[in-house]
Amino acid sequence: MDISASAIDKNEVDRFTAYQKTFFFTKVDGVYPVDILNTHLDVHTPDIRKIFSDRHNENIEKIDELARRTLHYVYRVKTDKGSRVIRINAAGDFYRELSFYTEHWMMLELEKKSLPHVTIIDIDTTRSLVPFDYQIVEDLPGETLFDRSLHTDIPVSLFGQLGSFIASIHEMKTSRFGPISIQSIIDGKPHGLHETWMSYLILNMVSHIESCSLVGVITQKEATEIATQLSKFSRIAPFEPSILHGDVANHNTFVNGGKVAAIIDWEDCLAGDPVYDIAYYGSGCFEHEVWFDVFLSGYKSIRTLPEDFDLRFWLYYLRISLVKALIRERYMLKHNTYLPNARNRIMHALSRVKSIE
Protein backbone atom coordinates (compact mmCIF):
# COMPACT_ATOMS: atom_id res chain seq x y z
CA MET A 1 0.00 0.00 0.00
CA ASP A 2 1.38 3.39 -1.02
CA ILE A 3 1.52 5.63 2.06
CA SER A 4 3.99 8.24 0.84
CA ALA A 5 3.28 11.94 1.22
CA SER A 6 3.65 12.66 -2.50
CA ALA A 7 -0.09 12.62 -3.23
CA ILE A 8 -1.10 15.11 -0.51
CA ASP A 9 -3.01 18.15 -1.76
CA LYS A 10 -0.66 21.14 -1.83
CA ASN A 11 -3.20 23.38 -0.12
CA GLU A 12 -3.26 20.97 2.81
CA VAL A 13 0.55 20.96 2.92
CA ASP A 14 0.64 24.75 2.97
CA ARG A 15 -2.04 24.91 5.67
CA PHE A 16 -0.25 22.38 7.88
CA THR A 17 3.09 24.12 7.36
CA ALA A 18 1.63 27.45 8.46
CA TYR A 19 0.29 25.72 11.57
CA GLN A 20 3.65 24.03 12.31
CA LYS A 21 5.48 27.35 12.21
CA THR A 22 3.43 28.67 15.11
CA PHE A 23 4.41 26.14 17.79
CA PHE A 24 7.44 25.20 19.81
CA PHE A 25 5.93 21.98 21.13
CA THR A 26 2.69 20.58 19.77
CA LYS A 27 1.26 19.34 23.06
CA VAL A 28 1.41 22.86 24.49
CA ASP A 29 1.00 25.19 21.51
CA GLY A 30 -1.15 23.00 19.27
CA VAL A 31 -4.93 22.87 19.20
CA TYR A 32 -6.97 19.95 20.44
CA PRO A 33 -10.62 19.27 21.34
CA VAL A 34 -11.63 19.86 24.95
CA ASP A 35 -12.91 16.29 25.28
CA ILE A 36 -9.63 14.63 24.25
CA LEU A 37 -9.43 12.74 27.55
CA ASN A 38 -12.95 11.31 27.25
CA THR A 39 -13.67 7.93 25.69
CA HIS A 40 -14.60 7.91 21.99
CA LEU A 41 -14.68 4.16 21.41
CA ASP A 42 -18.38 3.98 20.50
CA VAL A 43 -18.04 6.91 18.09
CA HIS A 44 -15.00 5.53 16.25
CA THR A 45 -15.77 1.79 16.23
CA PRO A 46 -17.96 1.74 13.06
CA ASP A 47 -15.36 3.67 11.04
CA ILE A 48 -12.47 1.58 12.37
CA ARG A 49 -14.32 -1.56 11.27
CA LYS A 50 -14.86 0.00 7.86
CA ILE A 51 -11.13 0.82 7.49
CA PHE A 52 -10.00 -2.68 8.30
CA SER A 53 -12.70 -4.33 6.22
CA ASP A 54 -12.57 -2.16 3.09
CA ARG A 55 -8.85 -1.28 2.91
CA HIS A 56 -7.21 -4.26 4.57
CA ASN A 57 -9.67 -7.15 4.21
CA GLU A 58 -9.34 -7.93 7.91
CA ASN A 59 -12.08 -8.95 10.32
CA ILE A 60 -11.93 -7.22 13.68
CA GLU A 61 -12.17 -9.40 16.78
CA LYS A 62 -11.67 -6.74 19.46
CA ILE A 63 -11.03 -3.00 19.84
CA ASP A 64 -9.54 -1.52 23.02
CA GLU A 65 -9.08 2.20 23.68
CA LEU A 66 -5.60 2.96 25.06
CA ALA A 67 -5.36 5.39 27.96
CA ARG A 68 -2.23 7.31 26.97
CA ARG A 69 -3.24 10.00 24.47
CA THR A 70 -2.75 13.69 23.90
CA LEU A 71 -3.29 14.78 20.29
CA HIS A 72 -4.58 11.41 19.04
CA TYR A 73 -7.24 8.90 19.95
CA VAL A 74 -5.41 5.58 20.16
CA TYR A 75 -6.88 2.07 19.85
CA ARG A 76 -5.47 -1.44 19.86
CA VAL A 77 -7.25 -3.47 17.18
CA LYS A 78 -7.07 -7.27 17.14
CA THR A 79 -8.03 -8.80 13.80
CA ASP A 80 -7.94 -12.22 12.22
CA LYS A 81 -4.50 -11.28 10.82
CA GLY A 82 -2.84 -9.87 13.93
CA SER A 83 -2.78 -6.97 16.39
CA ARG A 84 -2.52 -3.34 15.23
CA VAL A 85 -2.62 0.12 16.76
CA ILE A 86 -4.60 2.88 15.06
CA ARG A 87 -4.07 6.56 15.88
CA ILE A 88 -6.79 9.03 14.91
CA ASN A 89 -6.26 12.79 14.60
CA ALA A 90 -8.13 14.36 17.53
CA ALA A 91 -7.79 17.88 16.11
CA GLY A 92 -9.26 17.11 12.72
CA ASP A 93 -11.48 20.19 12.74
CA PHE A 94 -8.33 22.33 12.70
CA TYR A 95 -5.81 20.53 10.46
CA ARG A 96 -4.92 17.35 8.61
CA GLU A 97 -2.43 15.28 10.61
CA LEU A 98 0.37 15.32 8.04
CA SER A 99 3.00 14.59 10.69
CA PHE A 100 1.96 10.94 10.20
CA TYR A 101 4.04 11.15 7.01
CA THR A 102 7.01 12.53 8.94
CA GLU A 103 6.92 9.38 11.06
CA HIS A 104 6.69 7.21 7.96
CA TRP A 105 9.77 8.88 6.46
CA MET A 106 11.68 8.43 9.73
CA MET A 107 10.78 4.74 10.00
CA LEU A 108 12.12 4.17 6.49
CA GLU A 109 15.36 5.96 7.44
CA LEU A 110 15.74 3.88 10.59
CA GLU A 111 15.09 0.72 8.61
CA LYS A 112 17.85 1.66 6.14
CA LYS A 113 20.27 1.98 9.07
CA SER A 114 19.08 -1.28 10.67
CA LEU A 115 17.93 0.61 13.76
CA PRO A 116 14.87 -0.38 15.82
CA HIS A 117 11.70 0.97 14.26
CA VAL A 118 7.95 0.50 13.96
CA THR A 119 6.29 -0.81 10.81
CA ILE A 120 3.68 1.65 9.58
CA ILE A 121 0.92 -0.25 7.80
CA ASP A 122 -1.35 2.51 6.55
CA ILE A 123 -1.85 6.29 6.56
CA ASP A 124 -4.85 8.11 5.14
CA THR A 125 -5.41 11.86 5.42
CA THR A 126 -7.77 12.16 2.45
CA ARG A 127 -10.92 11.54 4.54
CA SER A 128 -12.42 9.84 1.51
CA LEU A 129 -13.30 6.61 3.37
CA VAL A 130 -13.78 7.89 6.92
CA PRO A 131 -14.13 11.47 8.23
CA PHE A 132 -10.78 11.61 10.00
CA ASP A 133 -7.01 11.21 9.47
CA TYR A 134 -5.50 8.01 10.78
CA GLN A 135 -2.33 5.98 10.95
CA ILE A 136 -2.10 2.21 11.52
CA VAL A 137 1.10 0.71 12.95
CA GLU A 138 2.14 -2.72 14.11
CA ASP A 139 1.40 -3.53 17.74
CA LEU A 140 4.79 -3.82 19.38
CA PRO A 141 5.64 -6.68 21.73
CA GLY A 142 6.82 -5.95 25.25
CA GLU A 143 6.07 -2.77 27.20
CA THR A 144 7.20 0.82 27.47
CA LEU A 145 10.31 1.66 29.43
CA PHE A 146 8.06 3.79 31.66
CA ASP A 147 5.91 0.78 32.57
CA ARG A 148 9.03 -1.34 32.97
CA SER A 149 10.58 1.28 35.26
CA LEU A 150 7.73 0.81 37.73
CA HIS A 151 9.25 -2.58 38.55
CA THR A 152 12.15 -2.82 40.94
CA ASP A 153 14.10 -5.28 38.82
CA ILE A 154 14.58 -3.09 35.75
CA PRO A 155 17.96 -3.68 34.06
CA VAL A 156 19.74 -0.31 33.98
CA SER A 157 21.44 -1.43 30.78
CA LEU A 158 18.19 -0.55 28.97
CA PHE A 159 18.87 3.14 29.60
CA GLY A 160 22.33 2.75 28.09
CA GLN A 161 20.82 1.10 25.02
CA LEU A 162 18.42 4.01 24.66
CA GLY A 163 21.32 6.46 24.89
CA SER A 164 23.30 4.70 22.16
CA PHE A 165 20.15 4.50 20.00
CA ILE A 166 19.56 8.26 20.28
CA ALA A 167 23.23 8.89 19.47
CA SER A 168 22.86 6.78 16.32
CA ILE A 169 19.85 8.86 15.28
CA HIS A 170 21.90 12.02 15.76
CA GLU A 171 24.37 10.76 13.18
CA MET A 172 21.66 11.65 10.63
CA LYS A 173 22.46 15.18 9.47
CA THR A 174 20.05 17.66 7.93
CA SER A 175 19.67 21.41 7.34
CA ARG A 176 17.73 24.32 8.82
CA PHE A 177 15.97 23.94 12.17
CA GLY A 178 12.76 23.08 14.00
CA PRO A 179 9.90 20.78 12.89
CA ILE A 180 10.57 18.84 9.71
CA SER A 181 8.89 20.39 6.67
CA ILE A 182 6.33 18.11 5.01
CA GLN A 183 7.10 19.69 1.64
CA SER A 184 10.78 18.89 2.10
CA ILE A 185 9.87 15.24 2.71
CA ILE A 186 7.82 15.22 -0.49
CA ASP A 187 10.78 16.80 -2.32
CA GLY A 188 13.13 14.13 -0.97
CA LYS A 189 15.36 16.54 0.99
CA PRO A 190 13.93 16.72 4.53
CA HIS A 191 14.88 19.80 6.54
CA GLY A 192 13.56 22.04 9.31
CA LEU A 193 11.08 24.89 8.91
CA HIS A 194 13.11 27.65 10.59
CA GLU A 195 16.14 29.53 9.33
CA THR A 196 17.89 29.54 12.72
CA TRP A 197 17.93 27.41 15.85
CA MET A 198 17.41 30.52 17.99
CA SER A 199 14.20 31.44 16.17
CA TYR A 200 12.82 28.02 17.05
CA LEU A 201 14.04 27.99 20.67
CA ILE A 202 12.41 31.29 21.59
CA LEU A 203 9.13 30.59 19.80
CA ASN A 204 6.32 31.26 22.32
CA MET A 205 8.93 31.29 25.10
CA VAL A 206 7.59 34.42 26.80
CA SER A 207 4.05 33.05 26.86
CA HIS A 208 5.31 29.74 28.26
CA ILE A 209 7.11 31.53 31.09
CA GLU A 210 4.11 33.74 31.80
CA SER A 211 1.74 30.75 31.71
CA CYS A 212 3.85 28.89 34.27
CA SER A 213 3.56 31.95 36.49
CA LEU A 214 -0.20 32.26 35.95
CA VAL A 215 -0.87 28.65 36.98
CA GLY A 216 1.30 29.06 40.07
CA VAL A 217 4.21 26.79 39.17
CA ILE A 218 6.65 29.72 39.51
CA THR A 219 6.40 33.23 40.95
CA GLN A 220 6.49 36.38 38.85
CA LYS A 221 9.94 37.18 40.24
CA GLU A 222 11.16 33.72 39.23
CA ALA A 223 9.60 34.17 35.79
CA THR A 224 11.63 37.34 35.25
CA GLU A 225 14.79 35.57 36.41
CA ILE A 226 14.15 32.62 34.09
CA ALA A 227 13.70 34.95 31.11
CA THR A 228 16.98 36.66 31.97
CA GLN A 229 18.87 33.39 32.25
CA LEU A 230 17.44 32.02 28.99
CA SER A 231 19.03 34.97 27.19
CA LYS A 232 22.18 32.85 27.45
CA PHE A 233 20.86 30.99 24.38
CA SER A 234 22.87 33.56 22.41
CA ARG A 235 26.09 32.00 23.77
CA ILE A 236 25.50 28.58 22.21
CA ALA A 237 28.25 27.78 19.71
CA PRO A 238 27.30 27.05 16.06
CA PHE A 239 26.60 23.41 15.21
CA GLU A 240 25.54 21.22 12.32
CA PRO A 241 21.87 20.24 12.78
CA SER A 242 20.94 16.61 13.26
CA ILE A 243 17.65 14.76 13.17
CA LEU A 244 16.13 14.76 16.67
CA HIS A 245 13.26 12.73 18.07
CA GLY A 246 12.01 15.77 19.96
CA ASP A 247 10.21 13.84 22.73
CA VAL A 248 12.71 11.30 24.04
CA ALA A 249 11.04 9.69 27.03
CA ASN A 250 10.54 6.35 28.75
CA HIS A 251 6.86 6.28 27.75
CA ASN A 252 7.88 6.55 24.08
CA THR A 253 10.44 3.73 24.34
CA PHE A 254 9.35 0.13 23.89
CA VAL A 255 11.44 -2.64 25.42
CA ASN A 256 11.10 -6.35 24.86
CA GLY A 257 13.03 -8.61 27.19
CA GLY A 258 16.43 -7.05 27.69
CA LYS A 259 16.44 -4.90 24.54
CA VAL A 260 15.08 -1.58 23.31
CA ALA A 261 12.60 -2.60 20.60
CA ALA A 262 11.63 0.81 19.19
CA ILE A 263 10.93 4.46 19.89
CA ILE A 264 7.42 5.59 18.99
CA ASP A 265 5.68 8.95 18.42
CA TRP A 266 7.88 10.85 15.98
CA GLU A 267 5.42 13.69 15.31
CA ASP A 268 7.72 16.07 17.23
CA CYS A 269 10.72 15.15 15.06
CA LEU A 270 13.10 18.11 14.68
CA ALA A 271 16.18 19.38 12.94
CA GLY A 272 18.43 20.81 15.62
CA ASP A 273 21.05 20.49 18.33
CA PRO A 274 21.59 16.88 19.52
CA VAL A 275 22.04 18.17 23.08
CA TYR A 276 18.36 19.18 23.02
CA ASP A 277 17.30 15.51 22.83
CA ILE A 278 19.74 14.65 25.62
CA ALA A 279 18.33 17.43 27.81
CA TYR A 280 14.78 16.40 27.02
CA TYR A 281 15.48 12.91 28.27
CA GLY A 282 17.50 14.23 31.20
CA SER A 283 14.57 16.34 32.38
CA GLY A 284 12.42 13.21 32.36
CA CYS A 285 14.96 11.52 34.64
CA PHE A 286 14.73 14.23 37.32
CA GLU A 287 14.89 12.44 40.69
CA HIS A 288 16.14 9.33 38.83
CA GLU A 289 19.59 10.57 37.88
CA VAL A 290 21.08 7.05 37.78
CA TRP A 291 18.94 6.36 34.72
CA PHE A 292 20.29 9.44 33.00
CA ASP A 293 23.91 8.67 33.93
CA VAL A 294 23.60 5.28 32.22
CA PHE A 295 21.79 6.86 29.25
CA LEU A 296 24.58 9.42 28.83
CA SER A 297 27.27 6.73 29.04
CA GLY A 298 25.50 4.84 26.25
CA TYR A 299 25.27 8.03 24.22
CA LYS A 300 28.97 8.82 24.66
CA SER A 301 29.88 5.34 23.45
CA ILE A 302 28.69 6.50 20.02
CA ARG A 303 29.13 10.28 19.94
CA THR A 304 31.37 12.91 21.54
CA LEU A 305 29.71 15.71 23.50
CA PRO A 306 30.43 19.36 22.50
CA GLU A 307 32.77 21.49 24.61
CA ASP A 308 29.91 23.74 25.78
CA PHE A 309 27.71 20.77 26.68
CA ASP A 310 26.86 21.99 30.19
CA LEU A 311 25.65 25.38 28.94
CA ARG A 312 23.50 23.86 26.22
CA PHE A 313 22.21 21.02 28.39
CA TRP A 314 20.97 23.17 31.28
CA LEU A 315 19.52 25.90 29.06
CA TYR A 316 17.53 23.32 27.11
CA TYR A 317 16.63 21.50 30.33
CA LEU A 318 15.14 24.72 31.73
CA ARG A 319 13.30 25.54 28.50
CA ILE A 320 11.87 22.02 28.32
CA SER A 321 10.91 21.94 32.01
CA LEU A 322 8.68 24.98 31.48
CA VAL A 323 6.88 23.25 28.62
CA LYS A 324 6.50 20.00 30.53
CA ALA A 325 4.90 21.89 33.43
CA LEU A 326 2.30 23.27 31.02
CA ILE A 327 1.64 19.82 29.57
CA ARG A 328 0.80 18.69 33.11
CA GLU A 329 -1.75 21.48 33.38
CA ARG A 330 -3.26 20.97 29.96
CA TYR A 331 -3.74 17.22 30.24
CA MET A 332 -4.51 17.15 33.96
CA LEU A 333 -1.37 15.20 34.82
CA LYS A 334 -0.08 17.43 37.62
CA HIS A 335 -1.15 15.01 40.36
CA ASN A 336 0.42 11.94 38.73
CA THR A 337 2.58 10.47 41.50
CA TYR A 338 4.94 8.82 39.01
CA LEU A 339 6.04 12.09 37.40
CA PRO A 340 8.74 14.46 38.68
CA ASN A 341 7.67 17.54 40.65
CA ALA A 342 7.28 20.25 37.99
CA ARG A 343 8.28 23.21 40.15
CA ASN A 344 11.27 21.47 41.71
CA ARG A 345 12.51 20.51 38.26
CA ILE A 346 12.27 24.08 36.95
CA MET A 347 14.03 25.52 39.99
CA HIS A 348 16.78 22.89 39.79
CA ALA A 349 17.42 23.77 36.15
CA LEU A 350 17.35 27.48 36.94
CA SER A 351 20.00 27.09 39.65
CA ARG A 352 22.25 25.14 37.28
CA VAL A 353 21.92 27.70 34.49
CA LYS A 354 22.72 30.51 36.95
CA SER A 355 25.89 28.69 38.00
CA ILE A 356 27.23 28.80 34.42
CA GLU A 357 29.13 32.03 33.81
Side-chain angles (χ1 to χ4, degrees):
M1 180 172 290
D2 182 13
I3 54 177
S4 71
S6 58
I8 305 173
D9 181 84
K10 185 160 190 321
N11 290 331
E12 295 298 340
V13 173
D14 292 342
R15 190 175 295 115
F16 184 76
T17 299
Y19 164 74
Q20 274 188 306
K21 288 181 176 179
T22 65
F23 62 75
F24 174 75
F25 195 62
T26 320
K27 294 181 180 69
V28 171
D29 302 318
V31 294
Y32 75 108
V34 294
D35 63 346
I36 179 67
L37 300 179
N38 298 335
T39 180
H40 289 74
L41 180 58
D42 290 343
V43 174
H44 289 141
T45 291
D47 285 323
I48 292 174
R49 291 188 177 279
K50 187 174 185 179
I51 291 167
F52 279 88
S53 173
D54 292 8
R55 279 178 68 92
H56 298 276
N57 195 29
E58 296 184 33
N59 296 313
I60 291 179
E61 299 171 353
K62 187 180 181 182
I63 304 175
D64 293 311
E65 189 166 18
L66 302 185
R68 294 193 65 88
R69 57 183 180 271
T70 48
L71 297 176
H72 305 107
Y73 304 115
V74 187
Y75 304 92
R76 175 176 288 113
V77 183
K78 293 189 176 180
T79 78
D80 55 350
K81 295 183 180 179
S83 183
R84 327 288 191 212
V85 172
I86 183 169
R87 298 200 299 160
I88 294 172
N89 178 15
D93 291 340
F94 303 97
Y95 63 89
R96 304 284 175 121
E97 183 54 289
L98 302 189
S99 65
F100 285 156
Y101 297 102
T102 303
E103 292 188 287
H104 180 240
W105 162 71
M106 270 304 307
M107 292 309 100
L108 295 178
E109 292 300 308
L110 294 178
E111 184 178 15
K112 290 177 187 176
K113 298 180 182 303
S114 300
L115 292 170
H117 62 282
V118 180
T119 299
I120 297 179
I121 298 169
D122 189 13
I123 297 172
D124 188 359
T125 60
T126 65
R127 304 185 187 178
S128 58
L129 179 64
V130 292
F132 51 72
D133 316 315
Y134 67 84
Q135 176 195 71
I136 300 175
V137 303
E138 66 175 342
D139 188 12
L140 293 170
E143 59 187 335
T144 68
L145 188 53
F146 173 81
D147 291 333
R148 189 75 173 87
S149 70
L150 300 180
H151 308 316
T152 57
D153 61 341
I154 181 170
V156 293
S157 61
L158 288 171
F159 300 103
Q161 288 184 42
L162 177 57
S164 60
F165 182 15
I166 295 301
S168 297
I169 293 169
H170 293 167
E171 292 292 290
M172 300 169 59
K173 300 301 180 181
T174 183
S175 60
R176 302 185 63 172
F177 305 91
I180 303 300
S181 157
I182 295 297
Q183 187 60 55
S184 71
I185 291 175
I186 295 172
D187 296 339
K189 297 180 179 180
H191 59 69
L193 283 172
H194 297 275
E195 291 291 340
T196 67
W197 180 235
M198 176 71 82
S199 64
Y200 171 70
L201 282 179
I202 65 174
L203 192 61
N204 303 331
M205 187 175 74
V206 172
S207 66
H208 293 161
I209 296 172
E210 290 178 346
S211 294
C212 282
S213 176
L214 288 172
V215 299
V217 178
I218 57 176
T219 67
Q220 185 58 55
K221 180 180 179 181
E222 290 163 348
T224 300
E225 189 173 22
I226 287 169
T228 299
Q229 291 300 319
L230 288 179
S231 67
K232 292 178 180 177
F233 277 141
S234 62
R235 292 164 49 182
I236 293 175
F239 61 89
E240 182 182 4
S242 296
I243 295 296
L244 315 181
H245 180 274
D247 190 9
V248 184
N250 290 341
H251 66 264
N252 282 334
T253 305
F254 264 81
V255 297
N256 189 22
K259 294 184 177 181
V260 171
I263 298 180
I264 62 171
D265 290 0
W266 288 82
E267 64 262 27
D268 298 306
C269 181
L270 301 170
D273 185 350
V275 181
Y276 179 91
D277 260 355
I278 300 174
Y280 198 100
Y281 186 71
S283 68
C285 293
F286 181 64
E287 299 172 339
H288 293 282
E289 278 70 21
V290 171
W291 297 351
F292 179 69
D293 290 343
V294 178
F295 170 91
L296 193 59
S297 293
Y299 188 94
K300 290 192 293 186
S301 71
I302 303 293
R303 286 178 57 86
T304 302
L305 301 179
E307 291 185 3
D308 60 345
F309 175 78
D310 283 349
L311 173 67
R312 297 188 195 194
F313 179 84
W314 289 111
L315 282 171
Y316 298 153
Y317 193 118
L318 178 56
R319 179 74 177 94
I320 292 161
S321 295
L322 295 168
V323 171
K324 286 187 173 182
L326 296 178
I327 293 173
R328 300 276 188 89
E329 294 290 331
R330 189 171 195 184
Y331 297 101
M332 296 183 286
L333 299 171
K334 57 184 176 180
H335 300 303
N336 189 316
T337 57
Y338 296 114
L339 297 176
N341 182 284
R343 172 175 169 77
N344 291 349
R345 178 164 56 188
I346 291 171
M347 299 312 295
H348 174 65
L350 177 59
S351 67
R352 295 302 299 264
V353 172
K354 287 171 63 177
S355 71
I356 300 172
E357 297 299 335

